[in-house]
C-alpha cells in the first residue's frame, strides 16, 4: 500500500506542476523558432527603409497585388494536409502526410499556371498594368515553394528539429533582401521585388527538405507508400473539405484591402497600405508562427486532457495579448516621427494607417492558441463559416470608405472589423475547451 502510494504521488505532483508552469518542451521549441524568426524579421526590417526609398509607393502597390495573388493561391497549396503531419502517432503516417502535401502543392501550382496562361491570353493588357506576364508567370513557382516549404518545415517540427525550421526562415530573409538590393533588380522595379521573394521561398526549402529526406520513414514499395497516403487522405479529409476553403477565404479576406483599395483609389494608396501592413505584421508573424508550430504539436498531445489544455490555452492567450500590447502602444505614440525619419516624407501616410492596423494585428497575435485549438478539435467547418463572414464584413468596410471617397475611413473600418472578429475567435476557442471539460 505504501509502495503504491509512493509510485502514484509523483505522478499527481507532476501533472499539477505541468498545469501550473510553462511547459518546457513547448518553450524550448517556441524559443528556437522565435529566435530564427526574429533574426529573419530583423533582416527584413533593416532592409525595408532602403527598399522603400529605392522602389517608391507605386511599385510597392504593384508588388502588393502580386503578393495578394500568391498568398491567396498559396493558402490552399497543400490542401491543408500539412496540418495532418503532426497528428499521427506513427512516423510512417506523418511521412505519408508530407508526400501528400507535396503532391497537392505541385497540383495546385499547375492549376495556377493554367489559369495564368488563360488570363495572359485573354487579358494581357491587364497583366501589363500590374507587372506583366513574366512576373505573373512566377506565381506557380512561388505557390509550389510555399506548399513544399510548409510541409517539410512541419515535419522538422514534428521530429523536434526546430533549429532546421528557424534556419529556413533566416535563409528566406537573407536571400530575398540580397536579390532585391541588386542593381539589376532595381531596374526591373516590381519585377525585382518579385524575383527576390520567389528566390527566398525556394532557398528556404532546401534545408528542411534535406532533413525530411534523411529522416523520413522508408516504405517497402511505392504501392505501400501510396496506400498509406490514401489512408491519411481519407482519415484527414476534413482538412481539404473545410480547412482549405477556410484558409482560402482567410487569405482572400486579407487581400480584400489590396484589391478594393486598388479599385477605389490608386497604386500609391495600395503601396501605403502594403508597407504599413508589412512593417506591422512581419514582427508579429515572427512570434505567432513560432508559437503556432510549437503549440500545435503540444495541443494535439493534450487533446485528451482538457483541464491541462484549458490552462495552457488561457496562459498563452493572455501572454500573447500582453506581449502584443507593448509594441501597439509604441506604434500609437511614435509612428509619426519614426516614419518621417526612417522612410521620408513621401511615406507619411503610413503612420496614420499603422495606428489603425495595429489594433487588428494585436488581436490577431492573441488568437493563435484559439486557431490551434479549433484545428486540434477538428472544428474546421467553423473556420469556414467564420472566414466567409469575415471576408464579407471586410469587403463591406472597404466599400463604405471607397464610396465615401475616404482612404482613411476604409482602412479604419477594415481594422475595427478585423479586430472584433479575432476577439470572437478567442472566445469561441475557450468555449470549446469549457464544453470538452464538462463532457469528460
Amino acid at each position: 500500500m505504501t509502495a503504491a502510494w509512493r509510485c502514484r504521488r509523483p505522478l499527481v505532483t507532476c501533472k499539477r506542476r505541468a498545469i501550473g508552469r510553462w511547459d518546457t518542451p513547448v518553450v524550448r521549441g517556441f524559443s528556437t523558432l522565435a529566435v530564427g524568426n526574429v533574426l529573419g524579421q530583423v533582416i527584413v526590417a533593416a532592409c525595408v527603409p532602403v527598399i522603400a526609398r529605392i522602389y517608391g509607393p507605386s511599385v510597392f502597390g504593384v508588388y502588393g497585388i502580386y503578393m495578394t495573388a500568391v498568398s491567396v493561391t498559396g493558402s490552399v497549396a497543400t490542401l491543408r494536409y500539412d496540418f495532418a503531419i503532426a497528428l499521427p502517432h506513427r512516423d510512417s503516417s506523418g511521412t505519408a502526410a508530407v508526400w501528400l502535401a507535396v503532391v497537392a502543392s505541385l497540383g495546385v501550382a499547375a492549376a495556377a499556371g493554367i489559369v495564368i496562361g488563360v488570363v495572359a491570353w485573354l487579358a494581357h493588357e491587364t497583366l501589363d498594368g500590374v507587372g506583366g506576364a513574366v512576373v505573373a508567370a512566377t506565381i506557380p513557382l512561388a505557390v509550389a515553394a510555399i506548399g513544399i516549404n510548409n510541409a517539410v518545415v512541419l515535419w522538422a517540427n514534428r521530429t523536434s528539429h526546430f533549429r532546421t525550421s528557424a534556419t529556413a526562415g533566416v535563409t528566406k530573409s537573407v536571400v530575398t533582401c540580397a536579390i532585391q538590393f541588386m542593381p539589376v533588380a532595381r531596374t526591373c522595379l516590381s519585377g525585382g521585388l518579385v524575383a527576390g521573394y520567389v528566390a527566398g521561398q525556394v532557398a528556404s526549402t532546401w534545408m528542411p527538405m534535406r532533413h525530411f529526406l534523411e529522416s523520413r520513414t522508408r516504405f517497402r514499395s511505392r504501392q505501400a507508400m501510396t496506400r498509406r497516403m490514401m489512408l491519411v487522405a481519407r482519415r484527414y479529409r476534413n482538412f481539404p473539405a473545410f480547412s482549405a476553403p477556410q484558409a482560402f477565404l482567410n487569405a482572400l479576406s486579407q487581400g480584400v484591402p489590396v484589391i478594393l483599395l486598388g479599385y477605389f483609389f490608386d497604386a500609391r494608396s495600395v503601396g501605403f497600405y502594403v508597407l504599413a501592413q508589412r512593417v506591422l505584421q512581419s514582427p508579429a508573424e515572427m512570434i505567432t508562427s513560432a508559437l503556432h508550430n510549437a503549440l500545435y504539436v503540444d495541443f494535439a498531445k493534450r487533446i485528451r486532457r482538457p483541464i491541462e489544455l484549458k490552462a495552457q490555452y488561457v496562459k498563452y492567450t493572455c501572454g500573447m495579448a500582453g506581449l502584443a500590447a507593448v509594441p501597439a502602444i509604441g506604434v500609437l505614440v511614435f509612428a509619426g516621427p519614426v516614419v518621417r525619419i526612417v522612410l521620408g516624407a513621401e511615406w507619411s501616410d503610413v503612420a496614420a494607417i499603422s495606428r489603425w492596423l495595429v489594433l487588428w494585428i494585436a488581436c490577431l497575435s492573441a488568437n493563435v492558441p484559439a486557431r490551434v485549438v479549433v484545428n486540434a478539435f477538428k472544428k474546421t467547418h467553423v473556420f469556414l463559416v467564420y472566414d466567409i463572414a469575415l471576408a464579407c464584413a471586410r469587403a463591406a468596410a472597404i466599400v463604405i470608405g471607397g464610396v465615401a471617397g475616404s482612404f482613411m475611413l476604409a482602412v479604419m473600418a477594415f481594422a475595427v472589423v478585423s479586430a472584433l472578429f479575432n476577439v470572437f475567435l478567442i472566445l469561441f476557442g475557450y468555449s470549446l475547451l469549457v464544453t470538452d471539460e464538462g463532457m469528460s
Side-chain angles (χ1 to χ4, degrees), residues 147-187:
I148 295 172
N149 183 272
N150 289 343
V152 293
V153 163
L154 283 174
W155 172 264
N157 295 337
R158 173 189 170 92
T159 56
S160 299
H161 280 254
F162 297 107
R163 185 176 298 178
T164 300
S165 303
T167 304
V170 176
T171 301
K172 179 172 67 175
S173 299
V174 170
V175 173
T176 298
C177 294
I179 292 180
Q180 290 176 347
F181 273 130
M182 289 182 177
V184 175
R186 299 179 188 180
T187 60

Side-chain angles (χ1 to χ4, degrees), residues 15 18-19 298-315 373 376-377 429-440:
K15 284 185 177 181
I19 297 174
D298 182 70
F299 279 20
K301 295 176 181 178
R302 296 179 185 269
I303 198 71
R304 299 183 183 278
R305 302 194 297 273
I307 297 178
E308 294 183 18
L309 188 56
K310 187 176 73 171
Q312 293 293 92
Y313 179 86
V314 173
K315 186 177 297 183
V373 163
F377 275 82
Y430 183 79
S431 70
L432 286 178
L433 296 174
V434 172
T435 303
D436 187 68
E437 180 184 355
M439 295 175 60
S440 61

Side-chain angles (χ1 to χ4, degrees), residues 249 253 382-396 417 421:
L249 289 170
S253 66
V382 175
F383 268 148
L384 181 59
V385 177
Y386 171 85
D387 280 304
I388 290 175
L390 178 59
C392 294
R394 282 175 165 174
V417 166
F421 268 79

Side-chain angles (χ1 to χ4, degrees), residues 361-378:
I361 299 299
C363 296
L364 183 66
S365 300
N367 82 354
V368 175
R371 290 190 171 274
V372 174
V373 163
V374 174
N375 281 312
F377 275 82
K378 298 181 181 180

